[in-house]
Structure formats: structure tokens, C-alpha cells
Amino acid sequence: MREHDVIVIGGGHNGLIAAGYLAKAGVDVCVCEALDEVGGDIVTNELTLPGFKHDRGATMHGVIQGNPLLANDELELKSKYGLKYIYPELSFATTFPDGTAICSYVDIDKTCASIAKTCGQRDADAYRGLFEALSPASAFINAGSFSEPPAFGAMMAQFDSNPIGRNVIESMFKSAYEVACDWFEDPKMVMHITKMCTEMFFNPEDKGTAFYLYMLIPAAHMAPYALPVGGSGKLSNALARCVEDNGGTILLNSPVEKITVSQGAATGVVLKSGEEIKARKRVLSSVDPRLMFGEGRMIEGALEPSVQQKIDRIADPFNVGMMIHCALDGVPKWSAGDELLGALMVEPCPNLDAYRAEFDAIRYGRLPQEVCPLVCTQSLLDPSRAPQGKHTLYVGPYGPWNFADGGPDRWDEVKESYADLTMRNLSQYITNLDEIVIDRFVDTPLDMERWNPNNVHGGVTGPASYMYQMFSNRPITEMGRYRTPVENLWICGMATHPSGGVTGGARAMVPSFLEDMGIDFEDVID
């Protein structure tokens, strides 16, 4: 029987990060990955035509830039393993049917100038005031994103002990839409600001979404968004090389079927192939707990009924996203002008009523008719992603997971027609779109779950990031600090603090995990 000190279930970027630190600490670690490549959703593939490199999941690497993993290059991903980033001056833009746009630059002055041009000086001044008001709170929040969260009650008491923290508490009870309407007069600014938090798959009118404005508005100017050179998969590949160079093992095509338990403690795993692997010390899972605990899952009967009920009731995001990956034969012509060609992300929005109606349709299990997708043309910033003179296009419209008429299976029926509708809507903003698209690949939320089962119910950022499922309550209170009721079984990944997206969140878990094994984390990163 194969034996290792620690078995990591799942080779997404979080599982690999944990394995990288463990291997660097001299721990004999083995990563069991179900797919035929590492990375989970953080991969880059030729999905359309040869030479066109598409990020199948996440494409923008923002929050992770402030993570000590990269900020201090703790695993030498940059200095030794070749990970490189492009930091566009223009982080994101919102464009409108009248040919205007609002551009958010790293430079706050350029951002305010863009707002003044489209929405007037009053809203430009208001944005500067909002940025200055939120910046202290953003630093307060982000400081805790890369370490184990305290107990929720203790955290709230800490927040309540000073004015900055009390502002954070207020944001937990307000919607992004309310905050935007409080500060801005022009509906275009309301859409531009609230669109920031919808990338976490929220309805911007849901209570608690203001919290994400507190994080994202200052971050746009203080911690620039980034694009990995060569594709998102370069992060995963660098992590894999780090693991293996430090003596770790990575097993591909090795889905875990069971976690073995003896006398209440995790002792190893059984692969779908039937092979059993023993863990001498710990098992660490980076997959969603809804795939781990319960009848017919990796580990049965391990939880008290009340705790199992909480696992089964973990809430999904408000909406899910479809991905349309296109190969282009030329450069997009935005009706708002060539300034948008320098943006990492562009989001077309119609009028405010149509924008709000998009989320109303999704709430009732219908597809919206006015689509406001996320649009990226990564090859304009990183030419290595497409053949010379060609480009890649990444288009992400929203939709419901569970259709009122037909449930999730209806995605198979509407897949191409919804992609067609999205592209027709987008052609109002990119005037030569029909001429330059030469191929496309469409992933529905149902496709994403079939491809990577860890995308439970199509959720590529894990369980919903509502306040009751955040910090030490993520995914549930009983497991909110990475430990489970099963001895020697830990969890990390997008279902745990600090939530989904490219955060490098497993780094927050590692110090406690190593301490539990009698290893000083500071010695590992020294």
C-alpha cells in the first residue's frame, strides 16, 4: 500500500498551495487529483482552434496579489518557477449603448476624470470621497484574508471596537445598490459600481453585498488586478513544479471515492480505481464539503445529524455564469472607442432598469433578455495567448442554475441559443463582432459541474459568499476554521475562508495545519 504523511484531495490551486508549503516543510505529501491536469478551474486550454489559449475558469488574478504567497514570493513561484503577471493600467470599464464608458484605472485621478467625462463632476468627486472613506476599511478587511479567521463573535466584537470596524459591520447589512444610490446621481455610476460585486455571483440588491464594495473599490487602486502571462494555468503549473521539486507527489486521473477512518480519525483514502493510500498523519481536502460528507459520499456517518443537515443546506450563489470562449480574426472595435482595448475587463450595461431586470429574471429561474456579461480580450494584453494577428475573447453572461421550467438540465437545451443572444447583445457594443469571431466554445454551468464536480451546482466560486457563510462560518460554523469533527481531517479551498476566486486562500490555513503537526510555519518561509 502506498503511504504518505499527508494526502491532499484535489489539485486545484488551493490544494497545490497547501501541498507546496507542506513539501517545502519536508512533509511527505501526495496530491490526488481527479482530472487529467492540475489546477481545477485555474487552467488554460486550446478550447477553440490551435494556438488560441483560453482560461476555462478564472482569468483575472486580483485578491491573490496581496497574498504573502505572491507578495513575498514564499514558494518562489515568481523567482524560480517562472510565474509572471501583467498589471494593466486600466483595470475594468463599463460601457453603455450610447457609446460612453466609465474607466477604472489604477490611478485614482484618471478614474475620476473618466467619471467626470461620462457622469459629471459631482459623481467624480463623490467617487473620490467614497474611495477615501472605504480605504481604511478595505485595509482592515484584507488584513484578515490571509490568516485563519477568529471566531465570528470575537471578530464582530473587534469590528465594533473602533469606527472603521463599525463601518464594516454596517456594510454587512446593506446592499451594494443602496450604497451606490446613496453616493451617486447618474444611473451609469450605479451600474459601474455595483457590477464590481456581481463577479462574486450576487444580486447587487441583496443585503450584505455592500461589504464587497468596501473590499473592491479601494483594491482597484491599491492592489492592481493582474493577468498571468500565458494563461491562468501558469499559476497552477508553477505550483505543481514547486510541489514536485520539494519532494511531493501528484497523482492525476485519481479521483478519491472514500476517506478511510479508524477510531474516529482519518487514516487515508480509497481511489475510484480501488487503490488505497494511507495517510500517516493527516488528510486535507480541498473539495466542497457537500461532496465529502453524507450517504454515498467520501465519508459516511461521520457527523452528528444536526451538522450533516447544515452541510446539506449550504447555500448556492444567487446566480451562475456561462462561459463563451471565442477565437477572433481581428481586434474588437468598441463603440466607446479604443481606450477600452487596454482594459483587463469590460462590462456592457444597458439602462438601469434593464440591468436590474437581469437579476429579477434569474431570481425566478429565467434567462434575462438583456445580458450584461463580463468581457475580456486577454490577448490584447498578452499576445502569447493567440497566433499573430489573432485574439481570444472571454464572455461571461449570468443565468440561473435551476430553471423554473426544466431545472438544471434545461441548460443543454438553451446553451447555444443563449450564447447567440449574448453575442447579439454584445454586438451593440463591439461593432465588428460578427466579422471577427471565427470559432467559439460554450461552457454552461451544467457543463462546468460535469467537467469538474467541485463546481457544485455550477458554482465556480464555491458556496454563496453571503455573510452567514463567510469568515469562521464558511462553510459552516463547525468547520469554519479548517478543522472537521473527524480527527486528522482538515479542509481548505473555495468552500472555506476567504471564499472563492483566485485568492490563494489555502495559505490562510497552512500555518495552523503545520502547527498542528508540530512544525513552525515561520521556519518554512524564512
Side-chain angles (χ1 to χ4, degrees), residues 376-426:
C376 304
T377 313
Q378 304 101 321
S379 55
L380 287 170
L381 299 168
D382 176 13
S384 72
R385 293 176 179 239
Q388 187 173 3
K390 314 293 184 182
H391 292 283
T392 57
L393 184 69
Y394 175 106
V395 182
Y398 299 139
W401 167 250
N402 191 24
F403 284 85
D405 180 14
D409 288 343
R410 189 150 183 263
W411 273 111
D412 289 335
E413 177 187 339
V414 304
K415 176 176 182 173
E416 296 299 334
S417 61
Y418 191 46
D420 289 343
L421 172 65
T422 300
M423 299 303 279
R424 283 197 302 273
N425 284 183
L426 184 56

Side-chain angles (χ1 to χ4, degrees), residues 295-496:
E295 186 176 351
R297 300 170 193 168
M298 292 180 184
I299 184 167
E300 300 185 33
L303 304 180
E304 293 291 333
S306 61
V307 178
Q308 182 64 58
Q309 187 178 69
K310 287 185 177 183
I311 290 289
D312 294 337
R313 290 180 175 176
I314 289 174
D316 291 328
F318 174 83
N319 56 278
V320 287
M322 188 169 82
M323 297 291 183
I324 307 170
H325 304 278
C326 298
L328 304 184
D329 194 28
V331 177
K333 295 180 180 177
W334 288 96
S335 60
D338 290 347
E339 182 180 17
L340 299 192
L341 296 177
L344 176 52
M345 300 177 291
V346 181
E347 298 182 276
C349 286
N351 59 68
L352 183 58
D353 286 347
Y355 170 62
R356 297 175 70 188
E358 176 185 22
F359 297 97
D360 289 340
I362 292 170
R363 182 184 301 280
Y364 292 102
R366 302 190 300 268
L367 288 174
Q369 293 305 301
E370 288 280 0
V371 187
C372 309
L374 171 71
V375 181
C376 304
T377 313
Q378 304 101 321
S379 55
L380 287 170
L381 299 168
D382 176 13
S384 72
R385 293 176 179 239
Q388 187 173 3
K390 314 293 184 182
H391 292 283
T392 57
L393 184 69
Y394 175 106
V395 182
Y398 299 139
W401 167 250
N402 191 24
F403 284 85
D405 180 14
D409 288 343
R410 189 150 183 263
W411 273 111
D412 289 335
E413 177 187 339
V414 304
K415 176 176 182 173
E416 296 299 334
S417 61
Y418 191 46
D420 289 343
L421 172 65
T422 300
M423 299 303 279
R424 283 197 302 273
N425 284 183
L426 184 56
S427 66
Q428 300 174 56
Y429 305 88
I430 300 178
T431 58
N432 64 338
L433 187 62
D434 292 342
E435 303 165 24
I436 60 176
V437 174
I438 53 178
D439 197 16
R440 81 180 186 193
F441 178 92
V442 180
D443 256 336
T444 68
L446 186 58
D447 293 328
M448 294 295 285
E449 185 186 59
R450 288 168 174 158
W451 163 61
N452 180 2
N454 201 41
N455 295 321
V456 177
H457 300 159
V460 295
T461 56
S465 296
Y466 296 123
M467 285 298 108
Y468 64 85
Q469 288 186 168
M470 289 294 288
F471 303 105
S472 62
N473 290 334
R474 187 172 183 86
I476 61 173
T477 306
E478 289 80 358
M479 302 182 195
R481 301 179 75 185
Y482 310 115
R483 301 144 182 89
T484 77
V486 179
E487 187 179 351
N488 295 338
L489 176 60
W490 289 55
I491 57 174
C492 67
M494 64 185 181
T496 65

Side-chain angles (χ1 to χ4, degrees), residues 126-150:
Y127 182 82
R128 188 184 297 275
L130 183 60
F131 167 72
E132 292 172 352
L134 298 188
S135 292
S138 177
F140 196 72
I141 294 167
N142 289 332
S145 296
F146 309 120
S147 58
E148 180 179 318

Side-chain angles (χ1 to χ4, degrees), residues 159-419:
F159 283 170
D160 199 35
S161 68
N162 63 79
I164 295 173
R166 286 192 285 275
N167 287 338
V168 174
I169 292 175
E170 179 183 335
S171 76
M172 295 177 173
F173 294 92
K174 298 186 74 173
S175 73
Y177 181 76
E178 287 173 313
V179 171
C181 290
D182 284 345
W183 282 82
F184 303 107
E185 293 180 344
D186 195 314
K188 291 178 179 178
M189 270 303 290
V190 174
M191 289 184 278
H192 180 67
I193 293 302
T194 58
K195 203 68 173 78
M196 298 175 73
C197 73
T198 68
E199 301 309 327
M200 291 297 291
F201 300 100
F202 287 120
N203 180 340
E205 296 186 56
D206 282 349
K207 299 294 185 181
T209 51
F211 176 81
Y212 294 94
L213 294 187
Y214 277 57
M215 294 176 60
L216 296 172
I217 289 178
H221 309 290
M222 300 164 65
Y225 296 171
L227 188 71
V229 175
S232 274
K234 293 295 185 180
L235 170 62
S236 303
N237 295 340
L239 285 164
R241 289 197 297 275
C242 171
V243 172
E244 293 177 329
D245 277 2
N246 284 283
T249 301
I250 298 175
L251 303 178
L252 300 177
N253 299 304
S254 300
V256 171
E257 190 166 74
K258 293 291 181 182
I259 297 171
T260 57
V261 176
S262 177
Q263 297 181 340
T267 58
V269 301
V270 178
L271 304 182
K272 191 174 182 180
S273 65
E275 179 184 1
E276 185 172 351
I277 306 175
K278 182 179 179 180
R280 302 185 194 99
K281 297 181 179 179
R282 304 285 187 279
V283 175
L284 171 63
S285 176
S286 66
V287 303
D288 193 300
R290 289 172 289 180
L291 301 178
M292 294 175 58
F293 297 96
E295 186 176 351
R297 300 170 193 168
M298 292 180 184
I299 184 167
E300 300 185 33
L303 304 180
E304 293 291 333
S306 61
V307 178
Q308 182 64 58
Q309 187 178 69
K310 287 185 177 183
I311 290 289
D312 294 337
R313 290 180 175 176
I314 289 174
D316 291 328
F318 174 83
N319 56 278
V320 287
M322 188 169 82
M323 297 291 183
I324 307 170
H325 304 278
C326 298
L328 304 184
D329 194 28
V331 177
K333 295 180 180 177
W334 288 96
S335 60
D338 290 347
E339 182 180 17
L340 299 192
L341 296 177
L344 176 52
M345 300 177 291
V346 181
E347 298 182 276
C349 286
N351 59 68
L352 183 58
D353 286 347
Y355 170 62
R356 297 175 70 188
E358 176 185 22
F359 297 97
D360 289 340
I362 292 170
R363 182 184 301 280
Y364 292 102
R366 302 190 300 268
L367 288 174
Q369 293 305 301
E370 288 280 0
V371 187
C372 309
L374 171 71
V375 181
C376 304
T377 313
Q378 304 101 321
S379 55
L380 287 170
L381 299 168
D382 176 13
S384 72
R385 293 176 179 239
Q388 187 173 3
K390 314 293 184 182
H391 292 283
T392 57
L393 184 69
Y394 175 106
V395 182
Y398 299 139
W401 167 250
N402 191 24
F403 284 85
D405 180 14
D409 288 343
R410 189 150 183 263
W411 273 111
D412 289 335
E413 177 187 339
V414 304
K415 176 176 182 173
E416 296 299 334
S417 61
Y418 191 46

Side-chain angles (χ1 to χ4, degrees), residues 80-161:
K80 185 174 181 180
Y81 298 109
L83 181 63
K84 298 179 181 178
Y85 281 100
I86 295 165
Y87 300 93
E89 183 183 5
L90 176 50
S91 299
F92 65 94
T94 308
T95 185
F96 308 98
D98 62 2
T100 61
I102 302 171
C103 296
S104 283
Y105 288 90
V106 176
D107 187 310
I108 185 70
D109 293 332
K110 291 187 69 172
T111 302
C112 290
S114 177
I115 294 170
K117 179 180 177 182
T118 298
C119 302
Q121 191 60 48
R122 189 268 178 201
D123 275 1
D125 293 341
Y127 182 82
R128 188 184 297 275
L130 183 60
F131 167 72
E132 292 172 352
L134 298 188
S135 292
S138 177
F140 196 72
I141 294 167
N142 289 332
S145 296
F146 309 120
S147 58
E148 180 179 318
F152 196 83
M155 182 189 72
M156 293 298 283
Q158 182 182 8
F159 283 170
D160 199 35
S161 68

